[in-house]
Amino acid sequence: YRAYAAFPDFFQNSTITWWAREISEVYNNPQNFSMSLKFDGIWIDMNEPSSFVHGSVSGCRNQELNFPPYIPQLGERSQGLSYKTLCMEGQQFLADGSPVRHYDVHNLYGWAQTKPTLDILHELTQERGIVVTRSTFPTSGQWAGHWLGDNTAAWNQLDKSIIGGTSKKCHFGGDKIGLSPGKIRIYGKIREKMTTTRQDPVAWNSTFEEISRNVLNIRYRLLPYLYTLMHQAHATGSTVVRPLLHEFVGDRRTWEIFKQFLWGPALLISPVLEKGAVEVNAYLPDARWYDYHTDEFIRFRGQFQNLSAPLGHINLHVRGGYILPQQDPAQTTFYSRINPLSLLVALNDSQQAEGQLYWDNGVQIGEF
């Protein structure tokens, strides 16, 4: 924020010790216990690392590192690699004391912070908790979920949010859930400030409230299926939100589809992405499909079709051959977990279906 500041080097063990102390003193205030702030999770922001100063307040020294022959498409190529981040010649040290340039480990900054943060959270709370981080790298998904960052509640952002979501192993969502795809994400939040328009459902009208309630209840109903997918992602490295090509890689038409996505292998989501649209041109790969809302068998496959998408309706299709566990929704996940479970069985062409359910107490570490 245009001030003199230092960025912690999370490769160093001494930094992890400092980070643990900082977090623990929030959880248990050593000066005044009544000022302690208990929490269940930690949300990490700006850890690309990001800065509102390009490089440093005094500029960068190494022209070759900050302006290499090839510069990827950044906000401003003319600013070089230090655009809204650190100077590339910045010095960091690995745990064994080996020096490295920030240029060589920039993409690992968030990764180096993530696992220690989860370990600290477990130590403090003795519960599973959650870590959400804006900067990830391969293997980060076993410790935390990824969020996109400061996308806006604008129509031209919706397809980009799907692209971002399907590119991460354990993607949690973006910043705005006010529009169609946002409400069917595995994680949604609304960030506002005093200078922006309110976007929570009750800030609109009763029609929007009802639409939001209905769509969010679908997500709550599907939590057992989603919870199982999350466990599989944690245990085996599979994906939760995935592009169609992950399931139908032999179908070349799926390779370029980015306006639809899947939850796991079995739930196809085809949202409205254009303002005023009342239908969606959706592709249903070569499998047996059923309308999630009506249980109706879909009598086409392996082709695009225009599907009706009136206000408040998101096209959801269940893939034949799978069983989706469900649960009656409630006001919160605590109460919904008490409600009865059910199974949605979608038969394939051989009149067979299978599925999985992972279930535990939802809180403790290693408890089934």
Side-chain angles (χ1 to χ4, degrees):
Y1 291 91
R2 303 211 63 82
Y4 289 92
F7 285 77
D9 182 1
F10 289 97
F11 285 121
Q12 297 190 57
N13 293 329
S14 57
T15 301
I16 303 306
T17 301
W18 164 83
W19 185 232
R21 185 175 66 249
E22 291 293 304
I23 296 174
S24 65
E25 289 183 359
V26 173
Y27 195 82
N28 293 308
N29 190 306
Q31 306 300 326
N32 184 349
F33 188 77
S34 66
M35 298 295 291
S36 299
L37 178 63
K38 304 302 182 185
F39 46 80
D40 299 301
I42 297 175
W43 172 18
I44 310 174
D45 195 3
M46 304 284 285
N47 61 334
E48 287 77 18
S50 181
S51 171
F52 289 105
V53 175
H54 306 316
S56 75
V57 291
S58 57
C60 298
R61 300 185 303 273
N62 191 311
Q63 184 78 2
E64 183 179 5
L65 289 181
N66 290 286
F67 293 89
Y70 171 75
I71 298 179
Q73 182 61 57
L74 303 171
E76 291 287 345
R77 282 187 172 178
S78 61
Q79 297 283 351
L81 294 183
S82 62
Y83 177 75
K84 289 192 174 182
T85 189
L86 309 184
C87 293
M88 294 298 108
E89 68 269 17
Q91 188 74 72
Q92 294 184 241
F93 294 89
L94 301 181
D96 64 1
S98 303
V100 290
R101 302 171 300 186
H102 183 70
Y103 177 89
D104 297 312
V105 294
H106 173 82
N107 289 348
L108 293 172
Y109 191 90
W111 175 89
Q113 184 184 19
T114 301
K115 184 180 183 300
T117 302
L118 181 63
D119 291 341
I120 295 164
L121 179 66
H122 285 171
E123 179 66 26
L124 283 174
T125 66
Q126 294 299 302
E127 293 182 348
R128 188 180 310 163
I130 186 173
V131 173
V132 182
T133 174
R134 200 172 80 174
S135 177
T136 55
F137 196 76
T139 73
S140 294
Q142 62 189 309
W143 307 309
H146 179 95
W147 67 287
L148 285 179
D150 300 328
N151 56 301
T152 61
W155 288 99
N156 65 1
Q157 297 276 298
L158 295 185
D159 57 351
K160 297 179 179 64
S161 71
I162 293 175
I163 294 170
T166 53
S167 68
K168 307 295 179 183
K169 190 196 88 166
C170 200
H171 171 71
F172 274 14
D175 262 358
K176 306 296 187 291
I177 66 169
L179 299 170
S180 161
K183 293 189 179 64
I184 204 70
R185 293 203 189 287
I186 61 176
Y187 167 88
K189 64 185 183 301
I190 299 174
R191 294 178 68 206
E192 301 170 355
K193 56 184 179 181
M194 294 180 65
T195 56
T196 60
T197 303
R198 282 184 58 187
Q199 300 188 52
D200 54 293
V202 298
W204 299 87
N205 55 38
S206 58
T207 301
F208 190 79
E209 287 179 27
E210 186 64 21
I211 290 172
S212 299
R213 183 181 298 108
N214 292 339
V215 176
L216 291 171
N217 274 338
I218 293 173
R219 189 172 67 159
Y220 266 60
R221 187 177 298 278
L222 288 166
L223 280 178
Y225 174 60
L226 182 58
Y227 197 66
T228 300
L229 292 175
M230 296 290 284
H231 169 71
Q232 292 169 347
H234 171 74
T236 69
S238 62
T239 55
V240 180
V241 179
R242 61 189 67 169
L244 275 64
L245 68 88
H246 277 201
E247 290 295 318
F248 302 94
V249 67
D251 184 346
R252 296 181 67 92
R253 282 168 291 192
T254 67
W255 296 5
E256 297 182 355
I257 293 176
F258 60 91
K259 295 186 177 182
Q260 299 170 260
F261 58 98
L262 290 155
W263 272 13
L267 184 67
L268 175 63
I269 301 167
S270 307
V272 170
L273 301 176
E274 289 81 32
K275 184 178 181 179
V278 293
E279 63 180 20
V280 174
N281 186 240
Y283 182 73
L284 270 64
D286 187 13
R288 181 180 283 247
W289 297 95
Y290 301 85
D291 188 307
Y292 174 83
H293 305 284
T294 66
D295 298 333
E296 177 188 1
F297 168 57
I298 305 301
R299 300 188 180 277
F300 70 89
R301 61 175 70 185
Q303 58 183 283
F304 284 92
Q305 287 279 349
N306 287 331
L307 305 177
S308 177
L311 182 65
H313 179 80
I314 299 178
N315 279 283
L316 305 175
H317 292 92
V318 182
R319 182 179 176 186
Y322 290 89
I323 301 173
L324 275 62
Q326 301 185 113
Q327 193 164 34
D328 291 347
Q331 190 74 16
T332 69
T333 55
F334 176 85
Y335 289 107
S336 66
R337 287 177 64 88
I338 303 172
N339 288 343
L341 288 160
S342 62
L343 298 176
L344 177 60
V345 181
L347 300 179
N348 60 16
D349 293 334
S350 302
Q351 300 299 293
Q352 296 179 331
E354 63 180 26
Q356 294 180 315
L357 171 65
Y358 173 79
W359 200 248
D360 59 18
N361 66 15
V363 176
Q364 292 176 289
I365 302 169
E367 291 291 327
F368 294 84

